[in-house]
Amino acid sequence: MTATGVPSATSTIGPSVFEDLGHAFGLSGKVLRAAPCGNGHINDTFAVSFSGNGASARYIFQRINHRVFREPECVMENIDRVLRHLYEKALERGERAPLKLIHTRNGNSFHRDRCGDYWRVYNFIAGVRSHDIVRSPALAFEAARAFGAFQADLADLPPPRLHETIPHFHDTPRRLENLERAVAEDREGRAAAVRPEIEFVRVRADAAGRLLALQRARQLPERITHNDTKLNNVLISDADHRAICVIDLDTVMPGLVHYDFGDMIRTSVSPTPEDEPDLDRIEARFEYFEALLRGYLSSAGAFLTPEERRHLPFSGVLITLEIGARFLTDHIEGDVYFKIHRPGHNLDRARAQFRLVERLEALMPRMTDLLGEIEEHAGEDAAPPNHR
Ligand code: ADP
Ligand code: GN1
Ligand code: MG
């Protein structure tokens, strides 16, 4: 179900639609199979196989949600620049960048169809999967290492500054204002039933502005960040469980490193899915935080300032609170932003985030102590042997 006004990823898209789209991207042949792919809340993703000249080739087709990304041209300009830069970086290391955009016959990075929808195509990376639940610290280490390497590679992207594809995306105080506006308007009459959740956010309003205040005071630098580092946005090799590449690049733009590290914490430390309805199952597992921290520092540690490192443990609380507030806002507004799959889905998601915030708050002293220990031993190998 989607409430965004953009058609959802359904089986109603027949092979001939992908054949027409494929033609625009210079892909000839018949479509053998086209299947919806992944659990994203915003765009529609399909794995599409084409046959031709006795061989078959697979691609990822994505329809960009242009209600959410108001300027898809800017999104694609960013992604094109970022992938070209990552390609150069890989080449310098004697490696091959795994992810490539397929351009249209006209050389564009996207195609606009007759309905006005925007499509892009990537090469299909085989032998990998994305994990919605992180089942081992080694996997958390590896994914965090990949996201850190992604930030490190983009640190020297030449100007101009990337477009802000969604302005104020991680402005948590503004997200809280949006929640207050939704509560005041209460168009669906849902606010009264979620008073405890609204209060949960209100009492944490001071924490919401902490990092932005430090950025304004020039104590935290702007970086190029991914901004949607759900652990399922890194592809992991089936063969050796190494991270192969970071995907879902629509929100790559200027930001604080904490937005990325915080979302890694949010999506890895609990053994439960993001929408877990049984709140008693939600945990903040310290060993997963440790693996994330060590993995992230192994690739990003060299460019982070001491002040940036100092706030890494808090980033999980911040981003989990922020996303929880966004889910709650969407529930109150009538599920107009995130795709939902059942009534009350956004409320379940919000409640799960808030329980995780509590668990992370309780873990703050241990997380901070660990960071202190690692800082003391800086310069020694960042990864314990069992994480290699
Ligand atoms: P969404 O915005 O819907 O989350 P993603 O870009 O994360 O979109 O892609 C959704 C899913 O599609 C991923 O979780 C992954 O399983 C699969 N996927 C995306 N890109 C590729 C690719 N280039 N090769 C193989 N699988 C991919
Ligand atoms: C959305 O598209 P997807 O599912 O990777 C959202 C993120 C949220 C996430 C919560 C553009 O990401 O900000 O953290 O859902 N993306 C956008 O699961 O709003
Ligand atoms: Mg994704």
Side-chain angles (χ1 to χ4, degrees), residues 83-206:
L83 286 180
R84 282 175 202 270
H85 190 73
L86 295 178
Y87 175 87
E88 296 297 331
K89 289 294 210 183
L91 216 58
E92 281 169 20
R93 290 192 286 266
E95 297 166 6
R96 284 173 54 162
L99 187 64
K100 291 177 204 77
L101 264 181
I102 310 293
H103 287 79
T104 66
R105 285 173 192 275
N106 308 331
N108 288 334
S109 54
F110 63 90
H111 168 72
R112 210 163 174 202
D113 69 14
R114 271 182 245 122
C115 308
D117 284 330
Y118 292 76
W119 290 86
R120 66 176 165 235
V121 178
Y122 291 111
N123 60 312
F124 184 94
I125 301 170
V128 297
R129 74 182 62 197
S130 53
H131 296 254
D132 288 320
I133 294 177
V134 184
R135 296 193 195 279
S136 74
L139 189 66
F141 179 96
E142 191 50 22
R145 184 193 61 72
F147 281 125
F150 180 84
Q151 289 179 346
D153 273 353
L154 290 174
D156 62 350
L157 181 79
R161 191 171 181 263
L162 289 175
H163 300 290
E164 290 189 39
T165 56
I166 301 182
H168 311 290
F169 191 58
H170 282 299
D171 183 333
T172 316
R174 193 180 272 252
R175 296 292 190 180
L176 269 48
E177 284 167 24
N178 293 347
L179 172 62
E180 291 300 343
R181 192 174 321 116
V183 172
E185 290 175 1
D186 196 18
R187 291 207 186 125
E188 303 288 319
R190 292 181 178 179
V194 293
R195 285 287 155 203
E197 287 78 11
I198 298 167
E199 213 39 50
F200 183 95
V201 177
R202 282 184 180 154
V203 298
R204 287 166 176 80
D206 284 351

Side-chain angles (χ1 to χ4, degrees), residues 276-309:
E276 173 62 53
D278 181 356
L279 300 184
D280 290 338
R281 293 192 56 229
I282 295 171
E283 286 178 57
R285 297 170 297 179
F286 181 71
E287 65 275 27
Y288 282 72
F289 170 78
E290 175 167 7
L292 287 176
L293 185 61
R294 292 187 186 279
Y296 180 60
L297 291 178
S298 74
S299 52
F303 74 79
L304 296 175
T305 66
E307 188 67 1
E308 283 180 301
R309 285 200 291 270

Side-chain angles (χ1 to χ4, degrees), residues 40-42 69 169 228 230 248 266 274 323 326 337-338:
H41 299 336
I42 308 292
F69 295 102
F169 191 58
D228 187 7
K230 276 204 252 197
D248 212 344
R266 180 181 78 85
E274 182 181 63
I323 310 284
R326 290 177 61 198
Y337 186 91
F338 296 105

